[in-house]
Amino acid sequence: MTMLTNNGLVYLIALPLFGALSLLLLGRRADKWGHLLATGLSAGSFAVGLFQLSEMLGREAESRPVTQKIFTWISVGSFNVDASLLLDQLSICFVLLITGVGTLIHVYSISYMSHDPDRRRFFAFLNLFIAAMLLLVLGDSYLNLYVGWEGVGLASYLLIGFWNQKPAYATASKKAFIMNRIGDMGLSLAIMIAFASLGTVSFSGVKEQAHQASEATMTAIGIMLLVAAVGKSAQFPLQAWLGDAMAGPTPVSALIHAATMVTAGVYLIVRSNFVFDAAPTAQLLVVIVGAITLMFGALVGTAKDDIKKALAASTMSQIGYMILASGLGPAGYAFAIMHLLTHGFFKAGMFLGAGSVMHGMNDEVNMRRYGALRKFMPITFITFGFGYLAIIGVPPFAGFYSKDMIIETALNAGGVKGILLGSTALLGAAITAFYMTRVMILTFTSPKRWDDNQHPHESPILMWLPMAILAIGSVTSGFLLSRGATLKHWLEPLFEEHGEHIELLPPIVVSGLALLMVAMGVALAVVKYQLSEVDAVAPENVTEFTRVARRDLLQDEINETLFMRPGQAITSALVKIDQSVIDGAVHGIGKMALGSGSFLRKSQTGFVRSYAALILIGAVALIAAIWVVTT
Amino acid sequence: MSLDNYLYLSAILFTIGAVGVVVRRNAIVVFMCVELMLNAANLTLVTFSRINGTLDGQVIAFFTMVVAACEVVVGLAIIVTIYRSRRSASIDDASLLKR
C-alpha cells in the first residue's frame, strides 16, 4: 500500500524553525516584537496541525497516514535515507499536544518573562524546541527521529541554563545534557544495530523485518531503545537530571520537562511497538523500569518542599506509569498515549500554576513558606485544583480515566507479573494522592506562613488564561478520549492485534480499589498537613526515610560513588599514563638525539689542521682497505 | 729512464705536502703545501697518461690546474681577510666555528 503524500507537513516544522532563526539572527532588533512573532508562528503550526487532523478524519482508517519527502539525505549503495516526514494517527496526537500546549505556554511566557531582558532569546529557544520536537515525532525513520531527539536535547540544555549567570543553573543544564548523552548513545547504538542486521533504519522497514529477524537482534535493538527512552524521559536509573532541570524558567519546566520532551521516551517505545512485540525480554525490562520509576518518583515527591521539584518528581512518576503501560504490549500502548496526553494537560497546567504562585510570591519556591494562597490567587487555586484532581485520579477528571486504564491493564498482564505490576501501580496512585494533596494543602489551604513583606496577588490574564484552558483540558480530555474508547480505536491500525483478553478483576472493582487507595492517600495528607501544624522551616528530627527522600533517595550520591568518582580516577590515571609513558617516550627520543648530538659535537674542534689530518687518515685507510681487498 | 721515477717523485711531493698541511700553522705555508699536493697528483696523472699512451690524464691535469687557480684566488682572499681582522695568519687562531 503506498501512502498518501502531503506537501503541507513541512510547514509544521518550518514555521517555528523560521521563528527561532529569525529571532536569533536579528538579535536586539527583534526585542520589541520577537515574542509576538514566536507565539504567532507556534499558533500557526497548531493551525496547520488542526488542518491536518481534519484532513485525516475525512479519510478511511487505513489511508490516514501521510508522508512528505523533503530531500534525499543519504544515498550510499543499497542504503537510502530520505529526510521525510510521516504524519499518522500517533504523530498527530503529539503534533497537537506539542503545538497546542506549546502555544499556550508561549502566551503565558509573554507575561511571565516580561521583566527579563533576554525575553527574545527565550522565545527563540522555545520555538527551536517546538521545531525540534515536531521533527522528533514526524520523522519517518530512526535517523530522522534522532535529529529531532538531539535538537530537543539542545533546546532543553539551552533553556535549563537560560539564567546561566547563576553557576548552579549552568551546572544543572550541563547535568541534564550529559545524562541525556547516555540515552542518546543508546539510540545511536539501536540505529547502528538496526542498520547492521536489518539494513534499514526506517520505521516501516524495521516493522517489515521485525518478524523475520532473530529475537536476539530485536532484543538488542529494544534494550538500546529503552536506554534512549530512559535517558530522555528521566526514568530509573537515569532520572537524576530532572529535579535539577527545574532551574530553568517555569514555562520551560511546564512545556519541556512535563508535557512534551520528557514524554519522548514513551513516544519512542510506542512508535517501536513492532520491535518490543518481537522482543519479550526488552518488553519486560520496559515494564520493570516503569514500575521502579513510578514508585521512585512518588517517594521522592512526598519529601520535597520545593514546589517545582515536587512536581518534577511527580512528572517522573507519571511517566513511569506511561512507560509501564507501553511495556505491556498492544494492550497498553493506547493507554500510555492517553495518559501522556492527559498528563500533558494537567501537569503543564500545574506547572504554570506553580509559576503563577512564584510570580505572586517573589519567586519563593519553598512550599513551607506558602499557605493560605487560596484567598489571594483564586484563579490559580481553581486551575491548579483541577490539575490536582486530575492527577490523583478523581472521576470525572482526566487522570482518572487514563491512570485507571493503566492500573487495570497492568493487573490483567497475567500471572504474578500482573499482580506485582498492578499493586505497584495502585500503591503509586495512593502515594501520588498523598504528595499532591500535600502540595495543594501546603500551598493553598493551610494557614499562611509567609512574611508580611510578601504581597501575593493574582497573575495577569495572559498568565491565567493558558492555565484556565489547560484546566478545561484536565477536566475533559480523559472523558473525551476514553468515551467509546475513541483514542484506542484511533490508534488501533498502528499496532498488532493482541491476543485474548485476560480479566483478573472486573473494571469496576479496579476503579473502586484505585479510588480507595487515592482516598487513603488524601486522608493521610489531610491529617498530616491540614489538621496539624506545618513548620515554616523543614524539621530536622525526621525519620531516616524522609532524610533519604529529601536527597532524592541518594541518586546523586550513588551516581557519584559508582560513576563519577571511578570515572575521575580513570581519567586522572589516564592523564598520568599519558604524561609519563606517552610523553615520556616522545621526550626520551628528543633527549637521546640531544645527548648524542652533544657527544658527537666534541669531534668538531674547529682546528683546520685536525680536520685535514682526519681526512688524510681516512684517505689512507680507504686506500689501504682497497689494496687489502683487491690483492 | 723508467717512467716509475716520476711516480716516486710525485709520491714524495704528495707526502711532503700532506705532512706540511698537518704540521704547519702558517696559513700561507699550508696553502702552498696544498698546491704541492695538487701538483703531485697532476704529475701522477700526466705520468700515467704517458704510460697508457692516452690523453685522458693530461686533460684531467688541465682541469686540476683550473680548479687550483680558482682555489688560490678564493683561498688567498680569505687568508688576507682573516689576517686583516685577527692580525695573525695562524690557522689555529681561526677556530671559532666550533662554538
Side-chain angles (χ1 to χ4, degrees), chain A residues 129-213:
Chain A
F129 169 76
I130 301 263
M133 189 73 202
L134 286 172
L135 179 60
L136 195 164
V137 298
L138 286 172
D140 81 329
S141 72
Y142 285 104
L143 216 51
N144 287 330
L145 178 142
Y146 190 70
V147 177
W149 190 270
E150 293 296 321
V152 293
L154 169 70
S156 161
Y157 167 78
L158 291 171
L159 285 164
I160 295 170
F162 184 71
W163 291 316
N164 55 12
Q165 59 271 32
K166 293 193 186 162
Y169 291 5
T171 312
S173 64
K174 242 187 295 178
K175 183 175 176 184
F177 195 76
I178 290 167
M179 294 203 78
N180 264 299
R181 297 305 308 168
I182 303 171
D184 298 349
M185 193 199 65
L187 184 53
S188 63
L189 283 177
I191 295 173
M192 288 179 214
I193 297 171
F195 172 60
S197 53
L198 309 178
T200 174
V201 296
S202 71
F203 295 141
S204 53
V206 175
K207 185 175 185 173
E208 265 168 38
Q209 306 218 12
H211 291 296
Q212 297 121 24

Side-chain angles (χ1 to χ4, degrees), chain A residues 129 133 152-153 156 180 232 241 255-257 259-265:
Chain A
F129 169 76
M133 189 73 202
V152 293
S156 161
N180 264 299
K232 194 59 89 193
W241 63 272
L255 177 61
I256 301 183
H257 304 119
T260 53
M261 185 194 85
V262 285
T263 58

Side-chain angles (χ1 to χ4, degrees), chain A residues 366-448:
Chain A
N366 189 349
M367 291 189 290
R368 291 187 181 275
R369 298 241 161 230
Y370 291 168
L373 294 177
R374 181 180 47 174
K375 276 175 281 179
F376 301 93
M377 303 180 177
I379 301 173
T380 307
F381 170 67
I382 292 170
T383 54
F384 197 96
F386 280 180
Y388 156 73
L389 291 172
I391 192 175
I392 66 172
V394 174
F397 294 90
F400 167 73
Y401 295 97
S402 49
K403 201 190 281 179
D404 208 46
M405 286 301 187
I406 293 178
I407 295 172
E408 200 184 308
T409 319
L411 269 173
N412 294 339
V416 187
K417 178 181 152 197
I419 292 168
L420 273 177
L421 293 175
S423 40
T424 311
L426 273 173
L427 191 59
I431 304 176
T432 306
F434 172 77
Y435 69 74
M436 284 314 302
T437 312
R438 176 173 175 270
V439 169
M440 201 66 196
I441 292 174
L442 287 181
T443 309
F444 291 105
T445 60
S446 57
K448 80 161 203 168

Side-chain angles (χ1 to χ4, degrees), chain A residues 47-81:
Chain A
V48 175
L50 281 179
F51 174 72
Q52 292 291 347
L53 176 70
S54 71
E55 295 254 291
M56 198 182 266
L57 284 170
R59 289 192 297 269
E60 287 299 308
E62 310 83 60
S63 55
R64 274 178 183 152
V66 288
T67 58
Q68 178 185 5
K69 179 181 164 182
I70 303 176
F71 58 89
T72 304
W73 184 10
I74 302 170
S75 176
V76 188
S78 63
F79 181 60
N80 284 295
V81 180

Side-chain angles (χ1 to χ4, degrees), chain A residues 245-269:
Chain A
M246 296 299 123
T250 311
V252 172
S253 312
L255 177 61
I256 301 183
H257 304 119
T260 53
M261 185 194 85
V262 285
T263 58
V266 183
Y267 169 78
L268 183 66
I269 292 177

Side-chain angles (χ1 to χ4, degrees), chain A residues 433-624:
Chain A
F434 172 77
Y435 69 74
M436 284 314 302
T437 312
R438 176 173 175 270
V439 169
M440 201 66 196
I441 292 174
L442 287 181
T443 309
F444 291 105
T445 60
S446 57
K448 80 161 203 168
R449 292 179 301 279
W450 29 274
D451 307 332
D452 286 331
N453 54 9
Q454 295 270 33
H455 302 288
H457 54 86
E458 188 54 84
S459 302
I461 180 166
L462 275 183
M463 280 170 75
W464 67 251
L465 192 65
M467 285 153 58
I469 296 172
L470 289 171
I472 294 171
S474 317
V475 180
T476 56
S477 62
F479 174 68
L480 290 177
L481 290 174
S482 68
R483 190 178 52 117
T486 316
L487 187 71
K488 196 157 176 278
H489 291 313
W490 174 253
L491 292 174
E492 218 148 45
L494 298 178
F495 307 131
E496 305 269 316
E497 292 294 311
H498 57 96
E500 82 280 24
H501 190 71
I502 326 161
E503 215 165 68
L504 190 69
L505 295 170
I508 187 81
V509 178
V510 178
S511 300
L513 266 178
L515 284 176
L516 184 70
M517 298 301 273
V518 168
M520 275 161 48
V522 173
L524 185 62
V526 168
V527 170
K528 211 161 176 283
Y529 297 102
Q530 183 73 49
L531 303 179
S532 53
E533 194 81 358
V534 180
D535 299 322
V537 188
E540 287 303 318
N541 56 337
V542 288
T543 57
E544 196 55 36
F545 166 74
T546 314
R547 235 186 281 278
V548 172
R550 277 184 190 163
R551 287 156 66 191
D552 302 288
L553 300 180
L554 304 180
Q555 61 187 11
D556 290 335
E557 283 80 355
I558 290 168
N559 283 346
E560 266 178 34
T561 18
L562 283 186
F563 302 106
M564 197 195 94
R565 298 208 188 285
Q568 276 181 335
I570 292 173
T571 316
S572 50
L574 284 176
V575 168
K576 277 212 186 85
I577 290 174
D578 179 52
Q579 279 171 348
S580 56
V581 177
I582 296 173
D583 288 6
V586 175
H587 290 166
I589 290 170
K591 276 198 185 115
M592 233 167 66
L594 267 180
S596 57
S598 61
F599 173 73
L600 289 174
R601 173 173 169 272
K602 282 177 191 151
S603 63
Q604 304 290 315
T605 56
F607 291 114
V608 178
R609 293 189 301 143
S610 74
Y611 297 159
L614 278 174
I615 292 170
L616 189 64
I617 292 167
V620 170
L622 189 66
I623 290 165

